[in-house]
Amino acid sequence: MGKIIDQIKAGKILVSDGAWGTFLQQKGMQPGECPEEWNLTHADDVLDIAQSYIDSGADMIETNSFGGTVYKVEKYGLADKVFELNKAAAEISRKAAGDKFVLGSVGPTGKILMMGEVSEDDLYAAFKTQVEGLEAGGVDAIMIETMTDLDEARLAIKAAKENTHCEVFCTMTFEKTLDGEFRSMMGIAPTDMVNTLIDAGAELIGANCGNGIADMIGIVEEIRKANAEIPILVHANAGMPMYQDGETVFPETPDELATLVPKIIAAGANIIGGCCGTTPGHICKVREAVDAK
């Protein structure tokens, strides 16, 4: 299929996958269990989730490795299995994807550099082990996502660029402030991230989580004001979360999400997928909307 960036340069709008965590829970993962350990203990269940998104028309799927750094898995006594867990995650998604693309999911470590909880060298080393495992399992790209701290994002990109041959992507998470501006938890605006992430080596940037697709349109427009050329990926939530009957629900239906796909493409998005609350049904409708363009 060539590289993902090559397809974007050829003018294609690509479709990514949706949420994973809720489906792991539906398959029996209990609170307090390590999601990444399921790559070893419940590989068929993880494969089923990945396959559901391919069957829905996704051009690419992620891996069950979002919390795959040592700083996350050591809490479960798995510090010595970082490479193995990530390699297994990649192998499972690779099996489901066939000739489609696989994005190796890399989330934040939960450690805060500015608080002195961790050094830059230690963070780099943590990301290095993770991305090496993902590449060994067969991913096409490293998808660094849900970042709020530019320095952590930069170190993750650097580790991926220097230690793999994969394409390297990075998205940050923004929330709308009371005065209507988008900021990460660390106060970063969408325009603030653009040059830093590109200079670090990211070949695609964007936003995930934190917003439904309606607000993602504004974020994409801001990124485009700062850079007209860089490919942009959006993984939007299924609307904004609501608390109903003791649980968090995401109210946006597949049809509601899909109606805004033409607008986010017009704003400048090149890859469209889902985050919290989205299902294979949402991705199927995104596929239809993209194909109708």
Side-chain angles (χ1 to χ4, degrees):
M1 288 178 71
K3 290 192 171 184
I4 296 171
I5 299 300
D6 291 339
Q7 294 215 2
I8 291 170
K9 286 179 178 175
K12 286 191 177 182
I13 302 296
L14 301 173
V15 178
S16 187
D17 63 0
W20 279 69
T22 45
F23 293 101
L24 288 168
Q25 290 164 9
Q26 285 177 17
K27 288 183 176 295
M29 188 180 76
Q30 297 299 307
E33 278 193 81
C34 175
E36 289 74 25
E37 190 173 19
W38 269 50
N39 299 325
L40 303 178
T41 59
H42 297 74
D44 288 345
D45 289 319
V46 179
L47 177 64
D48 190 49
I49 297 168
Q51 190 66 56
S52 71
Y53 285 117
I54 291 295
D55 293 345
S56 298
D59 296 304
M60 61 194 71
I61 52 172
E62 291 197 82
T63 54
N64 180 38
S65 57
F66 178 77
T69 59
V70 66
Y71 293 113
K72 293 284 189 179
V73 302
E74 67 183 1
K75 298 170 188 173
Y76 305 97
L78 299 167
D80 60 338
K81 291 193 173 182
V82 171
F83 184 93
E84 182 183 357
L85 293 168
N86 284 279
K87 182 172 181 283
E91 288 171 341
I92 291 167
S93 288
R94 180 81 270 155
K95 183 177 179 181
D99 63 356
K100 306 293 186 182
F101 294 114
V102 176
L103 309 179
S105 174
V106 175
T109 60
K111 299 293 184 182
I112 301 175
L113 272 165
M114 67 175 65
M115 299 291 287
E117 293 180 356
V118 66
S119 72
E120 289 203 359
D121 288 346
D122 287 342
L123 266 191
Y124 178 95
F127 288 126
K128 177 178 182 286
T129 306
Q130 182 178 21
V131 299
E132 287 176 340
L134 290 168
E135 184 181 44
V139 303
D140 299 289
I142 302 297
M143 181 74 250
I144 298 153
E145 58 185 346
T146 325
M147 290 287 166
T148 61
D149 180 354
L150 266 180
D151 286 326
E152 183 175 25
R154 174 179 56 78
L155 289 165
I157 294 167
K158 189 169 185 282
K161 290 296 285 187
E162 293 179 353
N163 297 285
T164 77
H165 298 93
C166 300
E167 294 180 285
V168 180
F169 306 159
C170 185
T171 59
M172 296 191 73
T173 296
F174 305 96
E175 295 182 0
K176 191 178 270 189
T177 64
L178 292 175
D179 53 8
E181 296 182 331
F182 294 105
R183 293 288 186 273
S184 82
M185 192 173 66
M186 297 293 191
I188 306 299
T191 50
D192 296 336
M193 75 172 176
V194 175
N195 289 337
T196 299
L197 299 188
I198 294 172
D199 289 347
E203 297 155 82
L204 171 150
I205 62 174
N208 76 293
C209 207
N211 295 276
I213 195 167
D215 281 343
M216 287 293 194
I217 294 167
I219 293 171
V220 172
E221 288 172 343
E222 285 193 36
I223 296 170
R224 277 283 167 253
K225 285 177 188 173
N227 188 302
E229 302 298 327
I230 187 72
I232 296 175
L233 176 146
V234 168
H235 282 159
N237 290 347
M240 295 306 289
M242 300 166 61
Y243 197 65
Q244 291 180 347
D245 300 325
E247 61 180 9
T248 301
V249 297
F250 290 83
E252 200 162 74
T253 67
D255 284 323
E256 288 168 342
L257 188 150
T259 58
L260 292 175
V261 166
K263 288 188 177 181
I264 205 157
I265 292 172
N270 305 101
I271 301 177
I272 304 160
C275 204
C276 302
T278 55
T279 65
H282 288 83
I283 299 309
C284 187
K285 288 296 182 180
V286 171
R287 174 85 270 163
E288 290 176 11
V290 167
D291 289 348
K293 280 292 291 177

PDB file of all heavy atoms in Angstrom, residues 126-157:
ATOM      1  N   ALA A 126      12.134   4.984  28.170  1.00  0.00           N
ATOM      2  CA  ALA A 126      10.855   4.286  28.288  1.00  0.00           C
ATOM      3  C   ALA A 126      10.160   4.194  26.933  1.00  0.00           C
ATOM      4  O   ALA A 126       9.660   3.127  26.543  1.00  0.00           O
ATOM      5  CB  ALA A 126       9.959   4.998  29.301  1.00  0.00           C
ATOM      6  N   PHE A 127      10.138   5.305  26.213  1.00  0.00           N
ATOM      7  CA  PHE A 127       9.506   5.300  24.890  1.00  0.00           C
ATOM      8  C   PHE A 127      10.296   4.439  23.904  1.00  0.00           C
ATOM      9  O   PHE A 127       9.719   3.768  23.054  1.00  0.00           O
ATOM     10  CB  PHE A 127       9.366   6.723  24.359  1.00  0.00           C
ATOM     11  CG  PHE A 127       8.317   7.539  25.052  1.00  0.00           C
ATOM     12  CD1 PHE A 127       8.618   8.780  25.613  1.00  0.00           C
ATOM     13  CD2 PHE A 127       7.009   7.081  25.153  1.00  0.00           C
ATOM     14  CE1 PHE A 127       7.652   9.541  26.245  1.00  0.00           C
ATOM     15  CE2 PHE A 127       6.026   7.833  25.791  1.00  0.00           C
ATOM     16  CZ  PHE A 127       6.355   9.056  26.340  1.00  0.00           C
ATOM     17  N   LYS A 128      11.620   4.434  24.039  1.00  0.00           N
ATOM     18  CA  LYS A 128      12.473   3.647  23.139  1.00  0.00           C
ATOM     19  C   LYS A 128      12.118   2.161  23.215  1.00  0.00           C
ATOM     20  O   LYS A 128      11.933   1.499  22.182  1.00  0.00           O
ATOM     21  CB  LYS A 128      13.942   3.862  23.495  1.00  0.00           C
ATOM     22  CG  LYS A 128      14.943   3.033  22.677  1.00  0.00           C
ATOM     23  CD  LYS A 128      16.379   3.387  23.100  1.00  0.00           C
ATOM     24  CE  LYS A 128      17.411   2.630  22.270  1.00  0.00           C
ATOM     25  NZ  LYS A 128      17.500   1.204  22.632  1.00  0.00           N
ATOM     26  N   THR A 129      12.006   1.633  24.418  1.00  0.00           N
ATOM     27  CA  THR A 129      11.676   0.212  24.567  1.00  0.00           C
ATOM     28  C   THR A 129      10.306  -0.092  23.980  1.00  0.00           C
ATOM     29  O   THR A 129      10.104  -1.111  23.305  1.00  0.00           O
ATOM     30  CB  THR A 129      11.717  -0.192  26.047  1.00  0.00           C
ATOM     31  OG1 THR A 129      12.983   0.163  26.601  1.00  0.00           O
ATOM     32  CG2 THR A 129      11.503  -1.689  26.209  1.00  0.00           C
ATOM     33  N   GLN A 130       9.348   0.810  24.229  1.00  0.00           N
ATOM     34  CA  GLN A 130       7.999   0.583  23.721  1.00  0.00           C
ATOM     35  C   GLN A 130       7.974   0.575  22.192  1.00  0.00           C
ATOM     36  O   GLN A 130       7.417  -0.344  21.578  1.00  0.00           O
ATOM     37  CB  GLN A 130       7.023   1.637  24.256  1.00  0.00           C
ATOM     38  CG  GLN A 130       5.594   1.387  23.763  1.00  0.00           C
ATOM     39  CD  GLN A 130       4.583   2.372  24.304  1.00  0.00           C
ATOM     40  OE1 GLN A 130       4.939   3.468  24.735  1.00  0.00           O
ATOM     41  NE2 GLN A 130       3.317   1.990  24.282  1.00  0.00           N
ATOM     42  N   VAL A 131       8.549   1.579  21.566  1.00  0.00           N
ATOM     43  CA  VAL A 131       8.454   1.669  20.099  1.00  0.00           C
ATOM     44  C   VAL A 131       9.247   0.559  19.418  1.00  0.00           C
ATOM     45  O   VAL A 131       8.871   0.085  18.331  1.00  0.00           O
ATOM     46  CB  VAL A 131       8.880   3.063  19.571  1.00  0.00           C
ATOM     47  CG1 VAL A 131       7.970   4.140  20.139  1.00  0.00           C
ATOM     48  CG2 VAL A 131      10.354   3.379  19.858  1.00  0.00           C
ATOM     49  N   GLU A 132      10.331   0.120  20.049  1.00  0.00           N
ATOM     50  CA  GLU A 132      11.079  -1.009  19.481  1.00  0.00           C
ATOM     51  C   GLU A 132      10.226  -2.278  19.483  1.00  0.00           C
ATOM     52  O   GLU A 132      10.261  -3.067  18.532  1.00  0.00           O
ATOM     53  CB  GLU A 132      12.385  -1.218  20.250  1.00  0.00           C
ATOM     54  CG  GLU A 132      13.436  -0.152  19.953  1.00  0.00           C
ATOM     55  CD  GLU A 132      14.703  -0.304  20.778  1.00  0.00           C
ATOM     56  OE1 GLU A 132      14.654  -0.977  21.838  1.00  0.00           O
ATOM     57  OE2 GLU A 132      15.733   0.259  20.378  1.00  0.00           O
ATOM     58  N   GLY A 133       9.465  -2.481  20.546  1.00  0.00           N
ATOM     59  CA  GLY A 133       8.554  -3.623  20.596  1.00  0.00           C
ATOM     60  C   GLY A 133       7.472  -3.531  19.544  1.00  0.00           C
ATOM     61  O   GLY A 133       7.141  -4.519  18.878  1.00  0.00           O
ATOM     62  N   LEU A 134       6.919  -2.336  19.370  1.00  0.00           N
ATOM     63  CA  LEU A 134       5.866  -2.137  18.373  1.00  0.00           C
ATOM     64  C   LEU A 134       6.391  -2.386  16.959  1.00  0.00           C
ATOM     65  O   LEU A 134       5.730  -3.038  16.141  1.00  0.00           O
ATOM     66  CB  LEU A 134       5.288  -0.723  18.496  1.00  0.00           C
ATOM     67  CG  LEU A 134       4.458  -0.464  19.756  1.00  0.00           C
ATOM     68  CD1 LEU A 134       4.189   1.032  19.929  1.00  0.00           C
ATOM     69  CD2 LEU A 134       3.137  -1.248  19.718  1.00  0.00           C
ATOM     70  N   GLU A 135       7.583  -1.878  16.667  1.00  0.00           N
ATOM     71  CA  GLU A 135       8.146  -2.105  15.335  1.00  0.00           C
ATOM     72  C   GLU A 135       8.415  -3.596  15.104  1.00  0.00           C
ATOM     73  O   GLU A 135       8.138  -4.135  14.027  1.00  0.00           O
ATOM     74  CB  GLU A 135       9.430  -1.308  15.128  1.00  0.00           C
ATOM     75  CG  GLU A 135       9.969  -1.471  13.701  1.00  0.00           C
ATOM     76  CD  GLU A 135      11.258  -0.707  13.454  1.00  0.00           C
ATOM     77  OE1 GLU A 135      12.160  -0.743  14.312  1.00  0.00           O
ATOM     78  OE2 GLU A 135      11.370  -0.080  12.395  1.00  0.00           O
ATOM     79  N   ALA A 136       8.937  -4.270  16.135  1.00  0.00           N
ATOM     80  CA  ALA A 136       9.221  -5.700  16.003  1.00  0.00           C
ATOM     81  C   ALA A 136       7.963  -6.504  15.705  1.00  0.00           C
ATOM     82  O   ALA A 136       8.017  -7.546  15.038  1.00  0.00           O
ATOM     83  CB  ALA A 136       9.889  -6.219  17.279  1.00  0.00           C
ATOM     84  N   GLY A 137       6.818  -6.016  16.184  1.00  0.00           N
ATOM     85  CA  GLY A 137       5.547  -6.701  15.950  1.00  0.00           C
ATOM     86  C   GLY A 137       4.894  -6.358  14.628  1.00  0.00           C
ATOM     87  O   GLY A 137       3.870  -6.958  14.271  1.00  0.00           O
ATOM     88  N   GLY A 138       5.450  -5.377  13.908  1.00  0.00           N
ATOM     89  CA  GLY A 138       4.978  -5.134  12.551  1.00  0.00           C
ATOM     90  C   GLY A 138       4.144  -3.891  12.302  1.00  0.00           C
ATOM     91  O   GLY A 138       3.418  -3.826  11.305  1.00  0.00           O
ATOM     92  N   VAL A 139       4.241  -2.875  13.159  1.00  0.00           N
ATOM     93  CA  VAL A 139       3.457  -1.659  12.892  1.00  0.00           C
ATOM     94  C   VAL A 139       4.063  -0.888  11.718  1.00  0.00           C
ATOM     95  O   VAL A 139       5.242  -0.990  11.416  1.00  0.00           O
ATOM     96  CB  VAL A 139       3.355  -0.737  14.131  1.00  0.00           C
ATOM     97  CG1 VAL A 139       2.756  -1.477  15.314  1.00  0.00           C
ATOM     98  CG2 VAL A 139       4.703  -0.128  14.505  1.00  0.00           C
ATOM     99  N   ASP A 140       3.203  -0.101  11.064  1.00  0.00           N
ATOM    100  CA  ASP A 140       3.644   0.764   9.971  1.00  0.00           C
ATOM    101  C   ASP A 140       4.045   2.143  10.473  1.00  0.00           C
ATOM    102  O   ASP A 140       4.919   2.795   9.905  1.00  0.00           O
ATOM    103  CB  ASP A 140       2.515   0.923   8.943  1.00  0.00           C
ATOM    104  CG  ASP A 140       2.116  -0.407   8.340  1.00  0.00           C
ATOM    105  OD1 ASP A 140       2.911  -0.957   7.560  1.00  0.00           O
ATOM    106  OD2 ASP A 140       1.023  -0.908   8.670  1.00  0.00           O
ATOM    107  N   ALA A 141       3.371   2.597  11.518  1.00  0.00           N
ATOM    108  CA  ALA A 141       3.628   3.938  12.058  1.00  0.00           C
ATOM    109  C   ALA A 141       3.519   3.894  13.570  1.00  0.00           C
ATOM    110  O   ALA A 141       2.830   3.046  14.143  1.00  0.00           O
ATOM    111  CB  ALA A 141       2.626   4.948  11.491  1.00  0.00           C
ATOM    112  N   ILE A 142       4.211   4.824  14.219  1.00  0.00           N
ATOM    113  CA  ILE A 142       4.092   5.020  15.662  1.00  0.00           C
ATOM    114  C   ILE A 142       3.116   6.168  15.880  1.00  0.00           C
ATOM    115  O   ILE A 142       3.322   7.277  15.368  1.00  0.00           O
ATOM    116  CB  ILE A 142       5.453   5.344  16.307  1.00  0.00           C
ATOM    117  CG1 ILE A 142       6.477   4.222  16.030  1.00  0.00           C
ATOM    118  CG2 ILE A 142       5.287   5.589  17.799  1.00  0.00           C
ATOM    119  CD1 ILE A 142       6.133   2.870  16.615  1.00  0.00           C
ATOM    120  N   MET A 143       2.039   5.899  16.617  1.00  0.00           N
ATOM    121  CA  MET A 143       0.994   6.892  16.864  1.00  0.00           C
ATOM    122  C   MET A 143       1.080   7.367  18.307  1.00  0.00           C
ATOM    123  O   MET A 143       0.531   6.763  19.233  1.00  0.00           O
ATOM    124  CB  MET A 143      -0.372   6.259  16.589  1.00  0.00           C
ATOM    125  CG  MET A 143      -1.569   7.169  16.783  1.00  0.00           C
ATOM    126  SD  MET A 143      -1.759   8.387  15.478  1.00  0.00           S
ATOM    127  CE  MET A 143      -1.327   9.872  16.388  1.00  0.00           C
ATOM    128  N   ILE A 144       1.827   8.437  18.516  1.00  0.00           N
ATOM    129  CA  ILE A 144       1.960   9.042  19.850  1.00  0.00           C
ATOM    130  C   ILE A 144       0.720   9.906  20.063  1.00  0.00           C
ATOM    131  O   ILE A 144       0.436  10.791  19.254  1.00  0.00           O
ATOM    132  CB  ILE A 144       3.248   9.878  19.917  1.00  0.00           C
ATOM    133  CG1 ILE A 144       4.472   8.952  19.699  1.00  0.00           C
ATOM    134  CG2 ILE A 144       3.352  10.621  21.233  1.00  0.00           C
ATOM    135  CD1 ILE A 144       5.667   9.665  19.122  1.00  0.00           C
ATOM    136  N   GLU A 145      -0.042   9.654  21.125  1.00  0.00           N
ATOM    137  CA  GLU A 145      -1.367  10.282  21.210  1.00  0.00           C
ATOM    138  C   GLU A 145      -1.744  10.669  22.635  1.00  0.00           C
ATOM    139  O   GLU A 145      -1.132  10.242  23.597  1.00  0.00           O
ATOM    140  CB  GLU A 145      -2.424   9.349  20.624  1.00  0.00           C
ATOM    141  CG  GLU A 145      -2.504   7.987  21.283  1.00  0.00           C
ATOM    142  CD  GLU A 145      -3.484   7.062  20.578  1.00  0.00           C
ATOM    143  OE1 GLU A 145      -4.295   7.517  19.752  1.00  0.00           O
ATOM    144  OE2 GLU A 145      -3.445   5.852  20.875  1.00  0.00           O
ATOM    145  N   THR A 146      -2.752  11.544  22.691  1.00  0.00           N
ATOM    146  CA  THR A 146      -3.313  12.021  23.960  1.00  0.00           C
ATOM    147  C   THR A 146      -2.271  12.765  24.787  1.00  0.00           C
ATOM    148  O   THR A 146      -2.315  12.771  26.011  1.00  0.00           O
ATOM    149  CB  THR A 146      -3.940  10.860  24.780  1.00  0.00           C
ATOM    150  OG1 THR A 146      -4.531   9.909  23.882  1.00  0.00           O
ATOM    151  CG2 THR A 146      -5.063  11.364  25.683  1.00  0.00           C
ATOM    152  N   MET A 147      -1.325  13.387  24.121  1.00  0.00           N
ATOM    153  CA  MET A 147      -0.285  14.129  24.825  1.00  0.00           C
ATOM    154  C   MET A 147      -0.813  15.499  25.269  1.00  0.00           C
ATOM    155  O   MET A 147      -1.610  16.127  24.567  1.00  0.00           O
ATOM    156  CB  MET A 147       0.930  14.313  23.920  1.00  0.00           C
ATOM    157  CG  MET A 147       1.697  13.026  23.663  1.00  0.00           C
ATOM    158  SD  MET A 147       2.611  12.529  25.142  1.00  0.00           S
ATOM    159  CE  MET A 147       3.048  10.839  24.744  1.00  0.00           C
ATOM    160  N   THR A 148      -0.356  15.946  26.433  1.00  0.00           N
ATOM    161  CA  THR A 148      -0.708  17.282  26.918  1.00  0.00           C
ATOM    162  C   THR A 148       0.532  18.142  27.145  1.00  0.00           C
ATOM    163  O   THR A 148       0.440  19.358  27.201  1.00  0.00           O
ATOM    164  CB  THR A 148      -1.500  17.201  28.247  1.00  0.00           C
ATOM    165  OG1 THR A 148      -0.692  16.575  29.244  1.00  0.00           O
ATOM    166  CG2 THR A 148      -2.785  16.409  28.069  1.00  0.00           C
ATOM    167  N   ASP A 149       1.695  17.484  27.274  1.00  0.00           N
ATOM    168  CA  ASP A 149       2.966  18.162  27.551  1.00  0.00           C
ATOM    169  C   ASP A 149       3.833  18.105  26.297  1.00  0.00           C
ATOM    170  O   ASP A 149       4.176  17.021  25.815  1.00  0.00           O
ATOM    171  CB  ASP A 149       3.647  17.457  28.727  1.00  0.00           C
ATOM    172  CG  ASP A 149       4.982  18.080  29.118  1.00  0.00           C
ATOM    173  OD1 ASP A 149       5.451  18.999  28.412  1.00  0.00           O
ATOM    174  OD2 ASP A 149       5.565  17.635  30.130  1.00  0.00           O
ATOM    175  N   LEU A 150       4.206  19.261  25.780  1.00  0.00           N
ATOM    176  CA  LEU A 150       5.013  19.308  24.558  1.00  0.00           C
ATOM    177  C   LEU A 150       6.361  18.613  24.716  1.00  0.00           C
ATOM    178  O   LEU A 150       6.851  17.973  23.784  1.00  0.00           O
ATOM    179  CB  LEU A 150       5.243  20.764  24.137  1.00  0.00           C
ATOM    180  CG  LEU A 150       4.275  21.377  23.128  1.00  0.00           C
ATOM    181  CD1 LEU A 150       4.657  22.818  22.835  1.00  0.00           C
ATOM    182  CD2 LEU A 150       4.250  20.565  21.835  1.00  0.00           C
ATOM    183  N   ASP A 151       6.970  18.731  25.880  1.00  0.00           N
ATOM    184  CA  ASP A 151       8.287  18.114  26.079  1.00  0.00           C
ATOM    185  C   ASP A 151       8.188  16.584  26.053  1.00  0.00           C
ATOM    186  O   ASP A 151       9.043  15.903  25.478  1.00  0.00           O
ATOM    187  CB  ASP A 151       8.919  18.585  27.388  1.00  0.00           C
ATOM    188  CG  ASP A 151       9.420  20.012  27.300  1.00  0.00           C
ATOM    189  OD1 ASP A 151       9.873  20.408  26.208  1.00  0.00           O
ATOM    190  OD2 ASP A 151       9.359  20.732  28.307  1.00  0.00           O
ATOM    191  N   GLU A 152       7.144  16.042  26.673  1.00  0.00           N
ATOM    192  CA  GLU A 152       6.970  14.591  26.638  1.00  0.00           C
ATOM    193  C   GLU A 152       6.696  14.127  25.209  1.00  0.00           C
ATOM    194  O   GLU A 152       7.250  13.120  24.743  1.00  0.00           O
ATOM    195  CB  GLU A 152       5.833  14.149  27.562  1.00  0.00           C
ATOM    196  CG  GLU A 152       5.694  12.625  27.597  1.00  0.00           C
ATOM    197  CD  GLU A 152       4.654  12.132  28.589  1.00  0.00           C
ATOM    198  OE1 GLU A 152       3.720  12.883  28.917  1.00  0.00           O
ATOM    199  OE2 GLU A 152       4.782  10.975  29.035  1.00  0.00           O
ATOM    200  N   ALA A 153       5.857  14.871  24.489  1.00  0.00           N
ATOM    201  CA  ALA A 153       5.567  14.533  23.099  1.00  0.00           C
ATOM    202  C   ALA A 153       6.839  14.567  22.257  1.00  0.00           C
ATOM    203  O   ALA A 153       7.096  13.663  21.447  1.00  0.00           O
ATOM    204  CB  ALA A 153       4.533  15.501  22.534  1.00  0.00           C
ATOM    205  N   ARG A 154       7.653  15.578  22.474  1.00  0.00           N
ATOM    206  CA  ARG A 154       8.910  15.723  21.710  1.00  0.00           C
ATOM    207  C   ARG A 154       9.840  14.541  21.959  1.00  0.00           C
ATOM    208  O   ARG A 154      10.447  14.001  21.025  1.00  0.00           O
ATOM    209  CB  ARG A 154       9.581  17.043  22.118  1.00  0.00           C
ATOM    210  CG  ARG A 154      10.958  17.281  21.538  1.00  0.00           C
ATOM    211  CD  ARG A 154      11.507  18.630  21.983  1.00  0.00           C
ATOM    212  NE  ARG A 154      11.543  18.802  23.423  1.00  0.00           N
ATOM    213  CZ  ARG A 154      12.468  18.269  24.235  1.00  0.00           C
ATOM    214  NH1 ARG A 154      13.436  17.514  23.721  1.00  0.00           N
ATOM    215  NH2 ARG A 154      12.434  18.487  25.522  1.00  0.00           N
ATOM    216  N   LEU A 155       9.955  14.121  23.216  1.00  0.00           N
ATOM    217  CA  LEU A 155      10.833  12.997  23.552  1.00  0.00           C
ATOM    218  C   LEU A 155      10.321  11.683  22.961  1.00  0.00           C
ATOM    219  O   LEU A 155      11.106  10.849  22.500  1.00  0.00           O
ATOM    220  CB  LEU A 155      10.964  12.869  25.071  1.00  0.00           C
ATOM    221  CG  LEU A 155      11.792  13.977  25.730  1.00  0.00           C
ATOM    222  CD1 LEU A 155      11.557  13.982  27.229  1.00  0.00           C
ATOM    223  CD2 LEU A 155      13.281  13.793  25.420  1.00  0.00           C
ATOM    224  N   ALA A 156       8.995  11.507  22.949  1.00  0.00           N
ATOM    225  CA  ALA A 156       8.421  10.296  22.355  1.00  0.00           C
ATOM    226  C   ALA A 156       8.688  10.253  20.853  1.00  0.00           C
ATOM    227  O   ALA A 156       9.043   9.199  20.301  1.00  0.00           O
ATOM    228  CB  ALA A 156       6.924  10.231  22.641  1.00  0.00           C
ATOM    229  N   ILE A 157       8.512  11.388  20.194  1.00  0.00           N
ATOM    230  CA  ILE A 157       8.790  11.468  18.752  1.00  0.00           C
ATOM    231  C   ILE A 157      10.261  11.154  18.491  1.00  0.00           C
ATOM    232  O   ILE A 157      10.598  10.374  17.590  1.00  0.00           O
ATOM    233  CB  ILE A 157       8.434  12.868  18.211  1.00  0.00           C
ATOM    234  CG1 ILE A 157       6.925  13.112  18.286  1.00  0.00           C
ATOM    235  CG2 ILE A 157       8.920  13.032  16.763  1.00  0.00           C
ATOM    236  CD1 ILE A 157       6.526  14.567  18.077  1.00  0.00           C
TER     237      ILE A 157
END
